[in-house]
Amino acid sequence: MRSIASRRLAAAALLAGSVVLACAVPAFAHVTVQPGTAAQGDYTAVAFRVPDESDTASTTKLEVNLPTDHPVASVATQPLPGWTAATEKTKLTTPLKTDDGDEITEAVTKITWTADAGTKIAPGQFQEFKISLGPLPTDTDKLVFKALQTYDDGSVVRWIEDAKQGQPEPQHPAPVLTLTKAAADGTADAAPAKTTAQAAPAPTAPTAASSSDSAARTLAVVGIVVGVAGAALGAYGLRRRS
């Protein structure tokens, strides 16, 4: 009897742990923008973090669409060994004006990264595709980048769904860059911001912070699983004493 009860408790603990992990892992597997926030009117550098979610296929192409309703005047890609980046421009209905009074009539609205021969994002791996852009719009609180991820077996995952406040997260949410209000005196938006974008297209601090956050969440999941297993063993001990 004790052996049967022990096996049942162990099975219950494993099942509970599996459910917790199954619910937690998808949150780490989305295509995201890192870091996820930037100041309105600023120049910044971000990375599109792309994990390979397939068990058998590898990622060979990423297409990112920049919002046409809030175009950005300056967009540049950072070279990535093994990948070729191509940008597409669209003529703007309303030209953008620069600080010098010039007008910009075209803006980058799509970036496509294609893997060279022998390059891929294999199952269980991820890659970051980095760009600099600015000045960021001041009339919206977010930029939504709809993305398409192509695998070498021909399948395509469309990261284009809008996440709405108060509703469950969609299965394939589009990457979002949240825009915050600039400093009241405006000193954080001028030359220093441009220098940062030009000198360091891929800031390491936000990426490290994001990695720390992911590690913390992973440790939390492990803690939950250990807690469930401990509770199961405790219940078995009480049953054995009885």
PDB file of all heavy atoms in Angstrom, residues 6-24:
ATOM      1  N   SER A   6       3.074   5.986  -2.517  1.00  0.00           N
ATOM      2  CA  SER A   6       4.278   6.749  -2.871  1.00  0.00           C
ATOM      3  C   SER A   6       4.328   7.049  -4.344  1.00  0.00           C
ATOM      4  O   SER A   6       4.641   8.159  -4.751  1.00  0.00           O
ATOM      5  CB  SER A   6       5.522   5.954  -2.449  1.00  0.00           C
ATOM      6  OG  SER A   6       6.695   6.639  -2.837  1.00  0.00           O
ATOM      7  N   ARG A   7       3.999   6.028  -5.181  1.00  0.00           N
ATOM      8  CA  ARG A   7       4.018   6.241  -6.620  1.00  0.00           C
ATOM      9  C   ARG A   7       2.975   7.259  -7.047  1.00  0.00           C
ATOM     10  O   ARG A   7       3.206   8.075  -7.933  1.00  0.00           O
ATOM     11  CB  ARG A   7       3.798   4.907  -7.340  1.00  0.00           C
ATOM     12  CG  ARG A   7       5.013   3.982  -7.307  1.00  0.00           C
ATOM     13  CD  ARG A   7       4.888   2.906  -8.377  1.00  0.00           C
ATOM     14  NE  ARG A   7       3.767   2.026  -8.122  1.00  0.00           N
ATOM     15  CZ  ARG A   7       3.851   0.897  -7.442  1.00  0.00           C
ATOM     16  NH1 ARG A   7       5.020   0.523  -6.930  1.00  0.00           N
ATOM     17  NH2 ARG A   7       2.776   0.130  -7.280  1.00  0.00           N
ATOM     18  N   ARG A   8       1.803   7.231  -6.397  1.00  0.00           N
ATOM     19  CA  ARG A   8       0.750   8.184  -6.735  1.00  0.00           C
ATOM     20  C   ARG A   8       1.160   9.613  -6.389  1.00  0.00           C
ATOM     21  O   ARG A   8       0.922  10.544  -7.150  1.00  0.00           O
ATOM     22  CB  ARG A   8      -0.539   7.821  -6.003  1.00  0.00           C
ATOM     23  CG  ARG A   8      -1.229   6.571  -6.555  1.00  0.00           C
ATOM     24  CD  ARG A   8      -2.469   6.241  -5.764  1.00  0.00           C
ATOM     25  NE  ARG A   8      -3.161   5.088  -6.336  1.00  0.00           N
ATOM     26  CZ  ARG A   8      -4.238   4.529  -5.786  1.00  0.00           C
ATOM     27  NH1 ARG A   8      -4.727   5.016  -4.645  1.00  0.00           N
ATOM     28  NH2 ARG A   8      -4.814   3.486  -6.366  1.00  0.00           N
ATOM     29  N   LEU A   9       1.778   9.778  -5.211  1.00  0.00           N
ATOM     30  CA  LEU A   9       2.221  11.110  -4.809  1.00  0.00           C
ATOM     31  C   LEU A   9       3.324  11.629  -5.736  1.00  0.00           C
ATOM     32  O   LEU A   9       3.339  12.800  -6.116  1.00  0.00           O
ATOM     33  CB  LEU A   9       2.726  11.080  -3.362  1.00  0.00           C
ATOM     34  CG  LEU A   9       1.645  10.910  -2.291  1.00  0.00           C
ATOM     35  CD1 LEU A   9       2.285  10.680  -0.931  1.00  0.00           C
ATOM     36  CD2 LEU A   9       0.742  12.146  -2.248  1.00  0.00           C
ATOM     37  N   ALA A  10       4.248  10.744  -6.101  1.00  0.00           N
ATOM     38  CA  ALA A  10       5.322  11.161  -7.016  1.00  0.00           C
ATOM     39  C   ALA A  10       4.755  11.554  -8.363  1.00  0.00           C
ATOM     40  O   ALA A  10       5.175  12.542  -8.980  1.00  0.00           O
ATOM     41  CB  ALA A  10       6.328  10.024  -7.170  1.00  0.00           C
ATOM     42  N   ALA A  11       3.777  10.786  -8.853  1.00  0.00           N
ATOM     43  CA  ALA A  11       3.164  11.101 -10.140  1.00  0.00           C
ATOM     44  C   ALA A  11       2.440  12.428 -10.083  1.00  0.00           C
ATOM     45  O   ALA A  11       2.493  13.229 -11.022  1.00  0.00           O
ATOM     46  CB  ALA A  11       2.190   9.985 -10.528  1.00  0.00           C
ATOM     47  N   ALA A  12       1.750  12.683  -8.955  1.00  0.00           N
ATOM     48  CA  ALA A  12       1.043  13.957  -8.802  1.00  0.00           C
ATOM     49  C   ALA A  12       2.010  15.125  -8.809  1.00  0.00           C
ATOM     50  O   ALA A  12       1.760  16.172  -9.410  1.00  0.00           O
ATOM     51  CB  ALA A  12       0.225  13.953  -7.508  1.00  0.00           C
ATOM     52  N   ALA A  13       3.161  14.959  -8.118  1.00  0.00           N
ATOM     53  CA  ALA A  13       4.164  16.027  -8.083  1.00  0.00           C
ATOM     54  C   ALA A  13       4.727  16.304  -9.468  1.00  0.00           C
ATOM     55  O   ALA A  13       4.900  17.454  -9.882  1.00  0.00           O
ATOM     56  CB  ALA A  13       5.290  15.640  -7.117  1.00  0.00           C
ATOM     57  N   LEU A  14       5.029  15.229 -10.217  1.00  0.00           N
ATOM     58  CA  LEU A  14       5.557  15.405 -11.566  1.00  0.00           C
ATOM     59  C   LEU A  14       4.547  16.068 -12.487  1.00  0.00           C
ATOM     60  O   LEU A  14       4.894  16.926 -13.301  1.00  0.00           O
ATOM     61  CB  LEU A  14       5.968  14.048 -12.141  1.00  0.00           C
ATOM     62  CG  LEU A  14       7.215  13.409 -11.520  1.00  0.00           C
ATOM     63  CD1 LEU A  14       7.423  12.000 -12.073  1.00  0.00           C
ATOM     64  CD2 LEU A  14       8.445  14.271 -11.781  1.00  0.00           C
ATOM     65  N   LEU A  15       3.282  15.686 -12.344  1.00  0.00           N
ATOM     66  CA  LEU A  15       2.245  16.277 -13.177  1.00  0.00           C
ATOM     67  C   LEU A  15       2.098  17.753 -12.885  1.00  0.00           C
ATOM     68  O   LEU A  15       2.014  18.583 -13.797  1.00  0.00           O
ATOM     69  CB  LEU A  15       0.914  15.562 -12.932  1.00  0.00           C
ATOM     70  CG  LEU A  15      -0.299  16.126 -13.691  1.00  0.00           C
ATOM     71  CD1 LEU A  15      -0.041  16.035 -15.202  1.00  0.00           C
ATOM     72  CD2 LEU A  15      -1.562  15.375 -13.327  1.00  0.00           C
ATOM     73  N   ALA A  16       2.103  18.109 -11.592  1.00  0.00           N
ATOM     74  CA  ALA A  16       1.982  19.520 -11.229  1.00  0.00           C
ATOM     75  C   ALA A  16       3.158  20.324 -11.754  1.00  0.00           C
ATOM     76  O   ALA A  16       3.006  21.426 -12.279  1.00  0.00           O
ATOM     77  CB  ALA A  16       1.877  19.659  -9.701  1.00  0.00           C
ATOM     78  N   GLY A  17       4.376  19.744 -11.633  1.00  0.00           N
ATOM     79  CA  GLY A  17       5.549  20.444 -12.143  1.00  0.00           C
ATOM     80  C   GLY A  17       5.496  20.626 -13.638  1.00  0.00           C
ATOM     81  O   GLY A  17       5.863  21.680 -14.164  1.00  0.00           O
ATOM     82  N   SER A  18       5.019  19.620 -14.353  1.00  0.00           N
ATOM     83  CA  SER A  18       4.919  19.715 -15.813  1.00  0.00           C
ATOM     84  C   SER A  18       3.942  20.793 -16.230  1.00  0.00           C
ATOM     85  O   SER A  18       4.182  21.544 -17.177  1.00  0.00           O
ATOM     86  CB  SER A  18       4.469  18.369 -16.391  1.00  0.00           C
ATOM     87  OG  SER A  18       5.414  17.367 -16.090  1.00  0.00           O
ATOM     88  N   VAL A  19       2.814  20.879 -15.511  1.00  0.00           N
ATOM     89  CA  VAL A  19       1.823  21.911 -15.830  1.00  0.00           C
ATOM     90  C   VAL A  19       2.393  23.292 -15.624  1.00  0.00           C
ATOM     91  O   VAL A  19       2.225  24.200 -16.440  1.00  0.00           O
ATOM     92  CB  VAL A  19       0.559  21.720 -14.970  1.00  0.00           C
ATOM     93  CG1 VAL A  19      -0.372  22.910 -15.135  1.00  0.00           C
ATOM     94  CG2 VAL A  19      -0.153  20.430 -15.354  1.00  0.00           C
ATOM     95  N   VAL A  20       3.134  23.492 -14.518  1.00  0.00           N
ATOM     96  CA  VAL A  20       3.734  24.800 -14.235  1.00  0.00           C
ATOM     97  C   VAL A  20       4.722  25.181 -15.320  1.00  0.00           C
ATOM     98  O   VAL A  20       4.728  26.293 -15.838  1.00  0.00           O
ATOM     99  CB  VAL A  20       4.428  24.787 -12.854  1.00  0.00           C
ATOM    100  CG1 VAL A  20       5.236  26.066 -12.664  1.00  0.00           C
ATOM    101  CG2 VAL A  20       3.384  24.648 -11.747  1.00  0.00           C
ATOM    102  N   LEU A  21       5.583  24.224 -15.696  1.00  0.00           N
ATOM    103  CA  LEU A  21       6.578  24.525 -16.735  1.00  0.00           C
ATOM    104  C   LEU A  21       5.931  24.772 -18.079  1.00  0.00           C
ATOM    105  O   LEU A  21       6.344  25.647 -18.834  1.00  0.00           O
ATOM    106  CB  LEU A  21       7.569  23.361 -16.830  1.00  0.00           C
ATOM    107  CG  LEU A  21       8.545  23.226 -15.657  1.00  0.00           C
ATOM    108  CD1 LEU A  21       9.379  21.959 -15.814  1.00  0.00           C
ATOM    109  CD2 LEU A  21       9.431  24.442 -15.535  1.00  0.00           C
ATOM    110  N   ALA A  22       4.891  24.027 -18.398  1.00  0.00           N
ATOM    111  CA  ALA A  22       4.207  24.201 -19.682  1.00  0.00           C
ATOM    112  C   ALA A  22       3.581  25.571 -19.775  1.00  0.00           C
ATOM    113  O   ALA A  22       3.537  26.187 -20.841  1.00  0.00           O
ATOM    114  CB  ALA A  22       3.134  23.126 -19.844  1.00  0.00           C
ATOM    115  N   CYS A  23       3.100  26.094 -18.656  1.00  0.00           N
ATOM    116  CA  CYS A  23       2.487  27.427 -18.655  1.00  0.00           C
ATOM    117  C   CYS A  23       3.532  28.520 -18.691  1.00  0.00           C
ATOM    118  O   CYS A  23       3.288  29.615 -19.178  1.00  0.00           O
ATOM    119  CB  CYS A  23       1.609  27.605 -17.409  1.00  0.00           C
ATOM    120  SG  CYS A  23       0.164  26.520 -17.387  1.00  0.00           S
ATOM    121  N   ALA A  24       4.731  28.225 -18.139  1.00  0.00           N
ATOM    122  CA  ALA A  24       5.735  29.275 -18.015  1.00  0.00           C
ATOM    123  C   ALA A  24       6.600  29.418 -19.249  1.00  0.00           C
ATOM    124  O   ALA A  24       6.960  30.518 -19.646  1.00  0.00           O
ATOM    125  CB  ALA A  24       6.625  29.002 -16.799  1.00  0.00           C
TER     126      ALA A  24
END
